[in-house]
Amino acid sequence: MATNEQSVLQFFPSTTSLTAKVHPVVIFNICDCYVRRPDQAERVIGTLLGSVSADGTVDIRNSYAVPHNESSDQVALDIDYHHNMLLSHQKVNPKEVIVGWYSTGFGVTAGSALIHDFYSREVQNPIHMTVDTGFTNGEGSIKAFVTVNLSLRDQQLAAQFQEIPLDLRMIEAERVGFDILKTRMVEKVPNDLEGMEASMERLLALIDDIYKYIDDVVEGRVAPDNKIGRFVSDTIASIPKIEPAAFDKLVNDTLQDHLMLLHLSSLTRTQLTLSEKLNTAAQIL
């Protein structure tokens, strides 16, 4: 247990070269822990696991919640639980190490300095990631911070939290689920076909943006960017050359296979339901 004697200053965005990448499973795990939190807990705190590359990019791949008690000027973490969970995770994934910690809520709070100080003793330069489960701005925002100590001579005055770039990379199947998760209200969960339709619409929108950018460069309305040009060229070169008729056949065959799987799964579900009802009727008779 510690007493909050630090002032916390929050700044946007930082000039530091440190960047972070987070996998969607980490966000889903944090939201699940928030839903299952104790009734008296206002937020969830936990440990982030992953690795740090040579260029300073922090790859966040896993997480677990840590029980805590928090008041206006005190924070108490269950350190034994934290260490036991870390040992358990490293038995399964020995290459994953502590890279920081997370909390639910919007931005940095006064108690965050105390928790960050603990994780600074666990790992050098930890990352603090916040997940806004309260949808403060209408959607769940995700941010990452590091701290820089502000000192006057030998006396430490405050912990300055600076935001760093955070990249959330995912495949299309994960993106469909994440888009639902970050919105405040959802009428229904889309099925596989609706998810595929949303992915295709997003792809077509990106292609239209590329077309517009190339036309603007050719017409002289936008200054050319060599980096974007090389990226577009590499992307086009990676696409295999397929005749339009063969491509249409490939897409249609894949779609038919997908529809067949949906039909078979529906038949299996119906058969299981009928079997359960027949078993119930036989027991009654």
Side-chain angles (χ1 to χ4, degrees):
M1 185 174 292
T3 302
N4 188 2
E5 297 178 352
Q6 291 179 300
S7 301
V8 180
L9 305 177
Q10 184 174 343
F11 290 86
F12 301 89
S14 169
T15 58
T16 179
S17 59
L18 188 66
T19 60
K21 296 190 302 181
V22 59
H23 291 237
V25 67
V26 177
I27 307 301
F28 296 148
N29 187 26
I30 293 173
C31 292
D32 181 66
C33 292
Y34 179 77
V35 172
R36 300 171 185 270
R37 74 191 188 280
D39 294 336
Q40 67 276 12
E42 296 183 357
R43 65 171 178 168
V44 177
I45 294 172
T47 302
L48 298 174
L49 301 176
S51 61
V52 183
S53 61
D55 61 353
T57 301
V58 180
D59 189 14
I60 305 171
R61 296 193 295 267
N62 210 337
S63 66
Y64 58 86
V66 178
H68 74 287
N69 292 318
E70 187 173 5
S71 61
S72 59
D73 60 347
Q74 293 180 338
V75 178
L77 291 176
D78 192 337
I79 299 178
D80 292 336
Y81 179 90
H82 159 69
H83 288 153
N84 290 333
M85 286 294 294
L86 177 62
L87 291 175
S88 300
H89 275 269
Q90 288 185 334
K91 288 179 181 179
V92 180
N93 298 306
K95 293 184 179 180
E96 290 185 355
V97 297
I98 298 176
V99 295
W101 66 286
Y102 72 83
S103 67
T104 57
F106 184 72
V108 178
T109 64
S112 298
L114 298 174
I115 306 171
H116 200 84
D117 181 65
F118 165 73
Y119 279 94
S120 297
R121 297 192 294 269
E122 297 284 300
V123 62
Q124 184 179 4
N125 198 19
I127 283 181
H128 173 33
M129 187 175 73
T130 61
V131 180
D132 182 17
T133 52
F135 295 85
T136 305
N137 294 327
E139 65 176 20
S141 62
I142 305 169
K143 298 181 179 181
F145 302 88
V146 294
T147 57
V148 176
N149 293 328
L150 301 180
S151 302
L152 179 61
R153 297 181 180 176
D154 296 333
Q155 182 181 3
Q156 181 176 336
L157 299 179
Q160 173 185 328
F161 281 87
Q162 293 183 329
E163 186 178 353
I164 63 173
L166 179 64
D167 185 15
L168 181 61
R169 294 185 178 180
M170 61 191 80
I171 60 177
E172 280 301 321
E174 295 171 331
R175 185 175 295 278
V176 172
F178 179 76
D179 289 342
I180 296 173
L181 186 66
K182 72 178 183 179
T183 54
R184 182 184 292 271
M185 295 183 61
V186 177
E187 295 181 357
K188 67 171 185 175
V189 177
N191 55 36
D192 293 340
L193 289 179
E194 291 172 340
M196 181 184 297
E197 181 182 3
S199 299
M200 294 303 297
E201 290 177 351
R202 188 181 297 109
L203 177 61
L204 291 175
L206 292 174
I207 294 175
D208 289 340
D209 290 341
I210 292 296
Y211 269 124
K212 183 178 183 301
Y213 171 77
I214 294 175
D215 289 340
D216 290 342
V217 171
V218 172
E219 297 296 331
R221 293 189 292 267
V222 175
D225 189 322
N226 293 333
K227 184 177 180 180
I228 297 177
R230 284 192 295 268
F231 181 80
V232 173
S233 177
D234 293 340
T235 302
I236 296 175
S238 65
I239 301 174
K241 289 189 66 175
I242 303 177
E243 295 295 329
F247 181 77
D248 290 341
K249 183 178 184 302
L250 178 63
V251 172
N252 289 330
D253 290 346
T254 304
L255 182 60
Q256 292 297 326
D257 293 341
H258 186 70
L259 292 174
M260 179 60 70
L261 288 175
L262 290 177
H263 180 65
L264 291 175
S265 63
S266 178
L267 288 177
T268 303
R269 187 162 49 248
T270 303
Q271 183 180 3
L272 291 174
T273 302
L274 288 174
S275 177
E276 182 180 357
K277 291 183 179 297
L278 289 174
N279 289 333
T280 302
Q283 292 175 0
I284 294 175
L285 297 175

